[in-house]
Amino acid sequence: MKSYYKRTIDATLSQWAKENDRKPLLLRGARQVGKTSAVRHLAKQEFRYYAEIDFNERTDVHYLFDGSYSPQQICQILSTLIRVPIIAGETLLFFDEIQACPNAINRLRYFYERYPEIHLIAAGSLLEFALERLPSFGVGRIRSIFMYPFSFEEFLIASGNEPLASMINSSSPYNPLALPIHNQALQLLRTFLIIGGMPDVVARYCTDGNLLECQHILSDLIISFRDDFVKYRKRIPSSRIDAAFRSVAEQGLGKFVYNRVDSESNTKQIKDALDTLIMAGLVYPVTHTAANGIPLGAEINEKYRRMLLFDTGLLQRLLNLDLSDLFSSNDFKVVNRGAIAETFIGNELIKASSCYSPQALYCWHREKAGSNAEVDYVVQIGSDIFPIEVKSGTKGSMQSMRIFMQLKDISHGIRTSLENFGLYKDIFLYPLYAIKNIYSTLL
């Protein structure tokens, strides 16, 4: 039995289990981010019985969801087949790989309408592609929650550094960490940038700290994802998807350029491949916003987008970076090879958002003769807009951020780097490892 490492989503799942007016849950996210493990942990903590149906393996039960059986009858038959009691209030029923049985997705709504007492969660590795074909499968009757790889805070807790995580959470630009604690956090951050947050990799690191084996697991994961490309969308060749996947890693900073992906493909083919990777949860777009007000998504320009991989460990593995340099150097440019820092920040912003809806990422860009400007991220905190720049030093003009603040009449900006918490005139300083603190300390 593998060890289970605490996840932030555990509290949300536990709360759901205790609710009286409860909808079936659809647990969504990329492959291998820990969805099944989190459900099994919930069952162990909160329920007497656990009934798991894998629709890839149990094709013999697909007929139960053709509309001929009520939710109660489905549960009775499943209970007999798998020899596990399915009792309302005592059993957690889990439909895994539900995309393999589209009828089962359609029937989820009837569990809420006709058998609301049962605790039901569904998930699937290619779920988003099935949902694309079922646009109104259960609006208002099913609750979606989104799951991602380990955040840095979750990694700290898993690796036995929960006191450090607590200290980071209680720090701010007005209450910086003691220098030795800050340095300890930076060292662990370097480790996390290298291994990333995929659960199998984190678990291996927490078991024996074997970084070489972590690299092997990352390689296995990349192969696994590539094997899945052929299953995503039949009309898009898997080779196009793979080329786009590699190019996201290789292009790094700045606007994503389609014609740098594959000289034999046209822009539409590459765009379709990218959209497929985004739907699979493997890539996050960062879209230009005019940022003239909230919501930030009201004025966007999808012609200017950056692309981020959903995990820094996979990024550095795809780029085959020199790990010794990442560990030993205090030079930000070395630490940030392949735009690892920007990728980490984007991922942390997403992981810090509500699990009930996917978080969009925004940037700001201006092209002007002799005065181009770009802000790495633009975020909304409460009713305020803040620009975020990922910087290499502890000084500098931060010209792009200044231009943005002046144009948009914004009073404060955020800089994140390897430096400690602090305040530099009208700029809040946050270390990379604590970027999520902006949501709790700037409200």
Side-chain angles (χ1 to χ4, degrees):
M1 189 72 179
K2 289 184 178 180
S3 297
Y4 181 77
Y5 296 98
K6 181 180 177 182
R7 303 298 302 273
T8 302
I9 207 167
D10 293 340
T12 300
L13 294 174
S14 181
Q15 180 182 356
W16 168 84
K18 295 178 173 66
E19 291 175 354
N20 292 324
D21 184 17
R22 181 183 53 254
K23 298 176 182 179
L25 272 188
L26 203 55
L27 191 52
R28 301 164 68 170
R31 284 194 64 222
Q32 303 287 335
V33 297
K35 298 186 293 293
T36 300
S37 296
V39 173
R40 290 173 179 170
H41 177 71
L42 174 69
K44 184 177 180 181
Q45 297 297 115
E46 304 286 352
F47 293 89
R48 184 177 180 184
Y49 303 110
Y50 175 59
E52 180 177 320
I53 306 296
D54 186 320
F55 284 101
N56 273 337
E57 296 178 357
R58 297 303 302 258
T59 56
D60 59 316
V61 305
H62 288 201
Y63 77 95
L64 293 173
F65 300 88
D66 64 5
S68 303
Y69 299 89
S70 70
Q72 289 85 348
Q73 289 172 321
I74 291 172
C75 289
Q76 290 169 1
I77 297 171
L78 289 177
S79 178
T80 301
L81 288 173
I82 67 175
R83 300 179 183 179
V84 174
I86 300 180
I87 305 169
E90 297 186 33
T91 304
L92 176 60
L93 178 59
F94 180 43
F95 292 160
D96 201 7
E97 302 297 353
I98 195 172
Q99 79 284 341
C101 182
N103 284 339
I105 301 175
N106 275 324
R107 299 299 292 177
L108 289 177
R109 57 180 292 179
Y110 295 105
F111 279 84
Y112 175 67
E113 294 171 351
R114 302 175 188 177
Y115 199 14
E117 310 92 81
I118 199 72
H119 289 78
L120 172 60
I121 300 178
S125 58
L126 301 174
L127 180 58
E128 301 304 319
F129 300 98
L131 296 180
E132 183 184 31
R133 298 187 292 272
L134 302 167
S136 58
F137 66 96
V139 176
R141 297 171 180 85
I142 298 169
R143 172 167 291 171
S144 290
I145 59 175
F146 295 81
M147 193 169 180
Y148 307 98
F150 275 67
S151 66
F152 182 60
E153 179 183 16
E154 289 174 319
F155 164 72
L156 289 179
I157 294 171
S159 59
N161 291 285
E162 190 164 0
L164 175 59
S166 180
M167 292 186 71
I168 292 173
N169 285 340
S170 62
S171 299
S172 74
Y174 301 102
N175 180 34
L177 286 168
L179 186 57
I181 303 300
H182 168 68
N183 289 334
Q184 181 187 10
L186 286 180
Q187 193 59 35
L188 287 164
L189 174 67
R190 285 187 174 88
T191 299
F192 184 74
L193 294 178
I194 289 169
I195 69 170
M198 298 302 287
D200 284 351
V201 185
V202 171
R204 182 56 199 248
Y205 176 80
C206 292
T207 299
D208 58 14
N210 189 328
L211 288 174
L212 180 60
E213 186 57 33
C214 287
Q215 298 306 298
H216 292 158
I217 296 172
L218 285 167
S219 295
D220 292 342
L221 285 169
I222 290 170
I223 292 170
S224 177
F225 288 130
R226 284 174 164 159
D227 287 344
D228 272 350
F229 290 164
V230 71
K231 306 173 188 175
Y232 286 175
R233 284 169 166 165
K234 300 300 182 184
R235 61 184 172 81
I236 303 175
S238 60
S239 59
R240 296 283 187 274
I241 300 174
D242 185 50
F245 186 60
R246 285 185 286 103
S247 192
V248 169
E250 292 166 356
Q251 289 202 30
L253 300 175
K255 177 183 178 180
F256 189 85
V257 181
Y258 294 102
N259 61 19
R260 288 175 55 187
V261 176
D262 185 345
S263 59
E264 297 181 1
S265 302
N266 60 42
T267 298
K268 184 181 184 307
Q269 290 174 326
I270 298 304
K271 186 178 185 301
D272 287 346
L274 271 174
D275 288 344
T276 299
L277 290 168
I278 292 168
M279 182 173 290
L282 303 184
V283 169
Y284 302 138
V286 187
T287 308
H288 166 82
T289 175
N292 291 319
I294 55 176
L296 292 170
E299 296 179 83
I300 61 172
N301 179 7
E302 292 193 349
K303 292 182 178 179
Y304 188 94
R305 296 199 300 180
R306 307 200 320 265
M307 296 291 170
L308 306 176
L309 280 187
F310 79 122
D311 182 71
T312 60
L314 293 168
L315 173 61
Q316 65 82 10
R317 194 63 186 147
L318 281 165
L319 295 177
N320 197 28
L321 298 181
D322 187 332
L323 301 190
S324 61
D325 279 354
L326 291 175
F327 262 122
S328 61
S329 178
N330 288 320
D331 183 346
F332 184 90
K333 291 182 180 178
V334 173
V335 174
N336 195 35
R337 281 178 181 166
I340 285 184
E342 281 83 355
T343 299
F344 170 78
I345 293 299
N347 276 268
E348 287 288 294
L349 292 174
I350 286 175
K351 294 168 187 176
S353 65
S354 169
C355 65
Y356 294 109
S357 60
Q359 174 70 45
L361 295 175
Y362 300 104
C363 63
W364 178 80
H365 175 80
R366 184 185 76 169
E367 290 188 9
K368 187 177 180 181
S371 183
N372 284 354
E374 180 165 5
V375 173
D376 296 312
Y377 295 99
V378 181
V379 298
Q380 177 184 342
I381 303 176
S383 58
D384 296 320
I385 293 173
F386 289 89
I388 300 176
E389 282 202 12
V390 183
K391 299 297 290 184
S392 58
T394 58
K395 296 181 180 180
S397 63
M398 294 173 286
Q399 184 176 358
S400 290
M401 180 143 59
R402 295 292 183 194
I403 291 171
F404 177 86
M405 291 168 64
Q406 183 177 6
L407 286 174
K408 308 301 177 181
D409 192 25
I410 289 174
S411 61
H412 287 82
I414 298 168
R415 183 173 77 198
T416 183
S417 68
L418 299 180
E419 61 194 313
N420 203 344
F421 292 94
L423 186 62
Y424 180 74
K425 297 182 180 179
D426 52 358
I427 305 298
F428 294 109
L429 311 181
Y430 284 82
L432 291 171
Y433 57 74
I435 192 62
K436 77 176 186 62
N437 285 28
I438 64 175
Y439 293 111
S440 58
T441 57
L442 296 181
L443 276 174

